[in-house]
Amino acid sequence: VREGRVNTGQNVAQLLDNNREAFQSFQDLDSHINSVATKVVHLGDQLESVNTPRSRAVEAQRLMNHFREFLLPGPLVSEVFTDKLKIYEAADVIQKLHLIAQELPSGKFENAKQKIGEKYDEIERSLIMEFVKAHRAGDKDRMKEIAAILSHFKGYSQCVDAFIEEAQHVGPMGVAVGALRSRDLFLEVVPLCHRSETLINEVFTNPDQVMGKFVLNIFQGQLQEYIQARLDNKSVPEMYLRNLHDLYCQTVKLCTELQRFNLGNDSQFLSKLTKSIFQRHLSSYISVETRYLREKFNLILNRYYDSKGHQKKNIQSGGINDIRRNIQDVIGTKANINIGPAAENYGGETFLSEEVAISLLQETKQAFKRCQMLSTQSDVHNNAVQIFDLLTKALLIEHVDYAIELGLQVIPGGEVRTPPEISFLEVVHQSSSMMNLLDKLFSDSLVPLIISTPKHGDCLQKKKQMGTNLEQKLDLGLDRTLSAITNYVRHVLTTEQKRTDFKPDNDDILIANVTPACQRVVRWISVVAERVRDTLDGHNVESALLELGLRLHRTILDHLMKFEYSATGAMAVICDVNEYRKCVASFKIPLVNSLFDTLHTLCKLLQVSPENLKMVCSGDQLSGLDRTVLASFIQLRSDFKTAKLGNQLK
C-alpha cells in the first residue's frame, strides 16, 4: 500500500510538470499570433494607403475622360450615356460631373456645363420614369435602388411627388384601386395611407418626411377640392352650415386616425392642415349662424301665425295701460257695468304651440353643436351666448310673452254677463312647459360651453329675470281669470236669484230644492275646476283651486247677505249651500271645505227655533266666529224683529 501511494504521488507530480510546459507553450503561441496579426494589419493599412489614392486616381481619370467628352462638340458617344441599360452607372457619373461643373468658372467651360446640365436633367427624368414603371410593376427592390440614386439628385422631391401621385391612382402590380375617387373621400384616406406607409418604409430612406408630404398632398389636393366644392354655395345657409359642420367633424376625426402614422416631428402638423382648409369658413361662421337662426326663427313663427290666420298685433302693456285696466275693473265690478272696450275673443285659441317651441329648441340645439365644433376656444362662449339670445328673443318674447299679453287682453273685466273665456289657464300650462324645455336646453347644451366663464352667471341671471317677468304676467292673468270667473258667478246670482227663492209668498208650502241660480253656478264652477285640473299641474292646481274656492266663498257669502229668509227660504238656502259645499269638495282643499262647512252651519241659524239659537251659536263650528258675524246672519231672518231675536244676541 505504501509503495502504491508513492507511485501515485510521482504520477501526479509528473502531470503537473507536463501541464506547466503546455501552458507555457500556449502563451508563446498566442504571443506569436498577435505579432503576426499586427504585421498583417500594418500591411493592410499600407496596401490601403497605396490602393485608395490609386482608386481615386482611377475614378478621377474616368471622370476626366467623361468630362473631356462633354468638352468636345457633337453628341455623346460613350457607351455609359448611350446604353439605356447602364442608366445607373450613367447616373453616378453625371451626378459627380454636375457637382464638378458647379465649381468651374464661366467662359470656356460654359458649353460643357450646359451639356452636363442637360444630360443631368435627362438622366434624372429617366430615373423618375423608371421609378414610376417599377412602382406600377410592384418592383419594390428596384424602386428602392432608384430612390437611393435619386436621393443625391436635386430632383429627388420629384421622385417623391411621382410616388405620391401614382399611389393615389394605382395599387400594387398596377391594379387600379380607384383611390380617392369615390363619393365619400374620407372613407378612403386612412386605408390609402396604411397601404402606402408599408411601401414608403421599404423604399425611402426618410419615410417620415415622405409620409408627411403624402398626407399634405392629400389635404391640399383632392380633400381640399372636395371640401371647397361642398362649401362653395352659401345661398342656402342651412345646407351650408350642415355641410360645414359635417365636413369639419369628418376632417377632425380623420386627423385623429392619421396620428398613428409617423408624419414627422411637428405635433401640430394635422391641425395646421385642417386650419388651412377651413380658416376662411370658420372666421365667418358665427355671422352665418346668427343670420340663419334669425331667419329660421322668423320663418317658424310666421308660418305658425299664418296657419292660424292671425296677424300679430303691437300690444302695449305695463305702466299706464295696467293702471287704466285696473281702474276699469274696479269701477265695472262696483257698478256692474263694463266701461272699457270689449275684449276680443279668439275662440279659446292661445296662440302657443309646443311644436313651434320644439322646432325653435331643436334648431338651437343643432346650432350649439356647430358652435362647439366650429368656434375657437376663445370665441365659443361669446358665440354660444349670441345663439341663446336669439332663442330667448324668439321663444320667450316673440312667442310666449306675446301669447301671454294676448291672453291678458282676452280676459274680460268688470261685470261679466256671459261665461268668460278661461283659455288663459291653457296659456299658463303651455308657457310653463316651454320654459321647462328651455331650462333643459340651457343645462344640457349651453352650460357646458360657458360654465367656466363669466358668461355663465350673466346667462343665469338673464334667464331668471325673463322667467320672473313671465311668471308675474302669468300670475296677473290667473288673478284676472279667477276674477272673471267669480264676476260671472256674481252676475248669475244677481240676475237669476229671486227674492222669493228665500222668502216665498206662500211660506206654508215647505219645498226644499236647490234654486236655479245655484244649479247654474255649480255647473259653471264644476266646468272651471275640471279645466283647472286638465290644464295646470303640480302646485299650480292646488294654488288656483284654493284661490278660486276663497273667492267663490266670498262671492256667495256677500250674495246671501243681501236677502231676508223665511223658514221655507232657510231650507232653500241650506240646500243651495250644501250644493256649493259638495261642489268645492272636489277641490280637495281643506281650508275651502272648512269655509263652506262653516257657511252651511251659519245658514242653520236661519232655520232653528229662537230658543235654540244660543245653543247653535255655541256649537263647535261657530264658537270661534266673531259675534258680529253671527249677529249679521241672524238679522237676515224674517222673524228677527217679531221674535225679538236681538235680545238673544245680547
Side-chain angles (χ1 to χ4, degrees), residues 24-63:
Q24 184 62 43
S25 298
F26 175 77
Q27 286 185 326
D28 294 341
L29 180 59
D30 184 58
S31 299
H32 185 64
I33 290 173
N34 288 336
S35 176
V36 172
T38 301
K39 292 178 180 179
V40 169
V41 171
H42 178 67
L43 180 60
D45 291 339
Q46 289 181 327
L47 290 175
E48 184 178 1
S49 64
V50 172
N51 187 57
T52 299
R54 185 184 176 199
S55 299
R56 291 176 178 172
V58 171
E59 178 67 18
Q61 183 181 9
R62 185 170 72 98
L63 291 175

Side-chain angles (χ1 to χ4, degrees), residues 332 335-339 412-420 484 487-489 491-492 495-496 520:
N336 284 333
I337 58 173
N338 281 321
I339 62 175
E415 184 186 17
V416 182
R417 295 186 175 89
T418 59
N487 285 342
Y488 176 65
V489 169
H491 171 75
V492 170
T495 57
E496 297 195 12
R520 186 170 177 181

Side-chain angles (χ1 to χ4, degrees), residues 394-508:
L395 179 60
L396 297 186
I397 298 177
E398 298 293 335
H399 192 54
V400 176
D401 185 72
Y402 175 75
I404 293 174
E405 291 289 351
L406 211 59
L408 290 173
Q409 304 298 317
V410 170
I411 303 172
E415 184 186 17
V416 182
R417 295 186 175 89
T418 59
E421 179 58 62
I422 56 176
S423 58
F424 198 85
L425 296 173
E426 187 66 29
V427 172
V428 175
H429 172 67
Q430 291 177 304
S431 299
S432 299
S433 298
M434 293 178 188
M435 291 170 69
N436 289 336
L437 291 174
L438 178 65
D439 288 340
K440 179 171 174 53
L441 179 73
F442 182 88
S443 301
D444 294 345
S445 299
L446 177 61
V447 169
L449 304 181
I450 62 174
I451 185 63
S452 58
T453 70
K455 296 292 183 182
H456 183 213
D458 295 342
C459 288
L460 274 175
Q461 183 61 33
K462 182 176 181 179
K463 183 175 74 69
K464 181 179 179 181
Q465 183 61 48
M466 296 183 74
T468 300
N469 293 340
L470 293 178
E471 288 175 1
Q472 289 174 349
K473 291 185 178 182
L474 292 174
D475 289 342
L476 175 62
L478 276 176
D479 180 75
R480 289 181 178 178
T481 299
L482 294 175
S483 296
I485 292 170
T486 52
N487 285 342
Y488 176 65
V489 169
R490 182 180 294 106
H491 171 75
V492 170
L493 293 175
T494 301
T495 57
E496 297 195 12
Q497 193 85 72
K498 301 176 181 178
R499 181 188 61 80
T500 55
D501 288 343
F502 301 129
K503 191 179 179 182
D505 295 333
N506 188 357
D507 200 36
D508 295 333

Side-chain angles (χ1 to χ4, degrees), residues 534-566:
D534 289 343
T535 54
L536 304 185
D537 50 23
H539 295 296
N540 289 334
V541 176
E542 182 178 348
S543 299
L545 291 178
L546 172 61
E547 187 63 26
L548 175 62
L550 295 176
R551 297 190 186 201
L552 180 63
H553 174 267
R554 170 50 58 186
T555 301
I556 293 174
L557 178 60
D558 291 344
H559 171 71
L560 296 181
M561 296 297 291
K562 298 176 182 178
F563 294 89
E564 186 177 352
Y565 299 88
S566 65

Side-chain angles (χ1 to χ4, degrees), residues 31 134 209 246 256 266 306 321 410 415 419 442 456 518 599 608:
S31 299
Q209 298 178 19
D246 292 344
T256 302
D266 188 357
D306 289 343
N321 295 288
V410 170
E415 184 186 17
F442 182 88
H456 183 213
C518 173
L599 180 60
V608 298

